[in-house]
Amino acid sequence: MPKKTSQNINTSNFAPSFLLIAYLCLGFVPNWQAVDKIAPQWLLMSILNTLSILFILFKRNSYAQRITKTLSTYLSYTYIGFIVWAACSYFYAINPTEVLVNISRQVNVLMMYLVMGFFVYHLKSKRTFLSFIITVILSVEIYAVLNEALQMFNTSGTILGNVLKGVAANRNITAFSIAIKIPFALFLIYKNSKLLYKWILSGIILLSFLCLSMIQSRASFLAVGLILVAFLSLCVFLFIKDKNKNHLFQYGYLLLPFLLAIWINQTILSDKGADALARASTISLGTNDGSVNQRLRYYEDVLTHLSSHPVFGVGLGNWKLKSIDYDSKDISGYVVPYHAHSDFIQLGAELGIVGFLLYLGVFVWAVFFVYRLIRYSDRSIEEKVFVFLLLTALGVYSVDANLNFPIARPQVLVVWALIMALINYYYTSEQLSKNHGASRPLLNYSFLGIALLALLPSIYVSNKVYESLKGQMFLLQDFNSNQYNVPLNRIDNLVPNIPNITVTTIPINSVKARYYLNAKKYDKALALANKGTDANPYLFYSELLKSQIYKAQGKLDSAKVYARKAFYGLPNNALHSSNYVNLINQTRDKDALEEAFEMLTIKNDLNNCKNYLIVGNSLYAPQDPVLASRAQKAIENFPDNNEIKSLARLIQLGQTRINQAGIYSNAGLQYFNSGDYQNAAAQFTLALENNPYEYSYYENAATSNYLIGNYDEAIAQIDEVIENMNPNNGKCEYIKSIIFIRMGDPIGACPYIETAVRKGYTQAQATLEQYCK
């Protein structure tokens, strides 16, 4: 009888492979009731990092050399130095709590990069395996986008790229999550010799391009251009090296899908709202483009701050607060410039030049490593092709990092971390082949200990943020709808104390304060609002609340002090401006209104202009020339707004003249209805003399004058309406045509009758048919 042998399951590759796949699938984690899906994604990343470190600690003997070599590169040194420097910003940050939130995230990305570097060392067929997994994930993301686009088309008949987001939070994340994975599919095409597999992979790339054409993220178009150029350069280089035309044919697996995707887009999708070429044609550096102009403004603010604070910035994660100060004149509502749309210069503003150079250095070392590997190493052609495509994917990420903010999004960061880990692995492997260095136990144990000490608080912070974002779902719904659905007894414990600002930078304590203000618990509300100022001193929502609290208490002078701070802090905020103008009116402070005029009107905001005219009319003397001039300017800025016109006329004429004109007009109507057109004309003339801005007085006077044969006067009056006051209803043109007909000139009347009909004045139709056919 054969002897039974027990076989142990070899987990040396299974566990690392499973954990790597888990990392790469982080982008599929949904919101799980949080305001933003990044909260559960960061939490799961910290858990995966902790599990990975514990696994490595358990297998520490087999990982000893890997840990030493992965840590002992300039890339890793630089990255660790960046994290340490960023952590030190806690001591000078505007909001230290935000440093805790963001350093927790950056520590997790660092750990993910290092763990991936440890895992790939002895991973079998790592290039094929990882490229295959990433391509499968790419296929799932493609399916999500296509499915959403199909549902959108079936519902509305259009495809709106700005809301097409697949599994991500917005279209830019989705677009770059797709684009950064294309080089891995290209590697599988290069490696695989079977035509069927090549065409399947080429089909995946076609669908990738098709998705990008529908999403219409212009930054991703630049990334696609980079991929096309990089892969062409690779194919040409391989052809020159080997004189094998098959290398040139390889480019067809990328070029043909690209051209076919454009053809499908233009023939089928362009008239559905997804015209990729039209969107690409708007790529420009000119300031006429709103998005470009906004980014350039953000860049200018960052560089201005960096030049004045070159060593220490505002603290990691704090630019979203300081940016409000720089962009305060252009912020509408509470929509703040949360990111600078360039990770590199934003980190410069947050961490100074040292932090900027350390973060940039991570990328520079990666490029240098690739150069050394391709130029001087003895690696196989396949390995060098793979490393080059890693560099291409890193280029895609760099495009994203210079135009968006992938540093805040785990879905793209996991691929970036893997790219950096693989580049670092190939470089250290090359060094090992030349110099077999021993492991360094002290370094390894120190790292594992520090990693656990860093990751455990990271899980705590990530969980707090996740719990907060779940609670913010309710708080922000109430805030945005100006409601108070959350019971007061739940407010204090609905969200934890980390973070202390919402995802829109509104201080959480101030959001809580509005509930206590509504409940008339003013002392509690004021205490919370004061804490809110410390959390974000630039948004001035806390000052608005303080103003409302003091106003509710009847302390109008104190209310106006804080209302003024809120208004001048964010003058384009409707809540701030209306509250301040209201208090100016209540305190009868004409000087304050005069001081606020420029800020109220600089953006030509309709409500601000209206509020200024209303309060100005009550504070200035009747028919004040300065106020009257500003009222006329308001009419020019808002020519179709009847409320502005009425306010302006009230200011320019005064209520007495307007009332008197109404009296004359009513008398004229009585005379007209009784057939006394002579007196009617006289009364209507008196009406328009008192109120020369009311076109109906001119029309009625002209009608009365032509009925008594006073044609010259009638034409002069109706021309005033046509030339200077045209209400665009066709009546004035019709009146002038009737005057011409009464004067015996039907030919001269016809153009006016036709205009009246075109403007919808129904009475003109019969006259047109009688005289102009």
Side-chain angles (χ1 to χ4, degrees), residues 320-439:
K320 56 182 169 283
L321 305 181
K322 188 61 180 177
S323 66
I324 302 170
D325 189 29
Y326 283 97
D327 209 47
S328 60
K329 303 299 184 295
D330 293 295
I331 291 174
S332 178
Y334 294 113
V335 182
V336 306
Y338 204 85
H339 298 282
H341 286 269
S342 171
D343 286 344
F344 294 99
I345 62 172
Q346 178 172 317
L347 286 169
E350 293 179 344
L351 304 175
I353 292 176
V354 174
F356 166 75
L357 292 176
L358 285 170
Y359 189 69
L360 179 64
V362 174
F363 290 79
V364 171
W365 281 119
V367 174
F368 176 74
F369 285 2
V370 170
Y371 169 75
R372 296 286 299 183
L373 284 165
I374 293 175
R375 180 72 175 84
Y376 297 109
S377 75
D378 297 326
R379 293 282 165 178
S380 67
I381 293 296
E382 180 184 307
E383 288 176 303
K384 290 185 176 182
V385 167
F386 182 68
V387 168
F388 178 82
L389 291 173
L390 287 176
L391 181 63
T392 303
L394 182 60
V396 171
Y397 181 90
S398 298
V399 171
D400 194 17
N402 277 289
L403 296 173
N404 296 305
F405 38 91
I407 197 172
R409 295 293 173 179
Q411 183 168 341
V412 181
L413 279 174
V414 290
V415 183
W416 174 82
L418 181 61
I419 293 168
M420 302 301 278
L422 286 166
I423 291 173
N424 196 53
Y425 156 75
Y426 278 107
Y427 185 77
T428 55
S429 296
E430 181 63 21
Q431 299 305 305
L432 271 175
S433 66
K434 298 176 181 178
N435 180 20
H436 295 279
S439 65

Side-chain angles (χ1 to χ4, degrees), residues 261-323:
I262 293 177
W263 180 80
I264 294 173
N265 179 272
Q266 292 300 293
T267 57
I268 300 175
L269 301 176
S270 60
D271 61 347
K272 309 294 188 302
D275 192 335
L277 292 185
R279 177 70 173 166
S281 68
T282 65
I283 296 176
S284 168
L285 292 177
T287 56
N288 291 329
D289 184 284
S291 178
V292 172
N293 190 43
Q294 183 185 64
R295 279 175 166 80
L296 291 175
R297 194 174 72 243
Y298 292 169
Y299 298 162
E300 182 181 2
D301 292 343
V302 171
L303 294 174
T304 298
H305 184 83
L306 183 58
S307 64
S308 59
H309 301 80
V311 180
F312 301 113
V314 295
L316 183 66
N318 278 249
W319 176 250
K320 56 182 169 283
L321 305 181
K322 188 61 180 177
S323 66

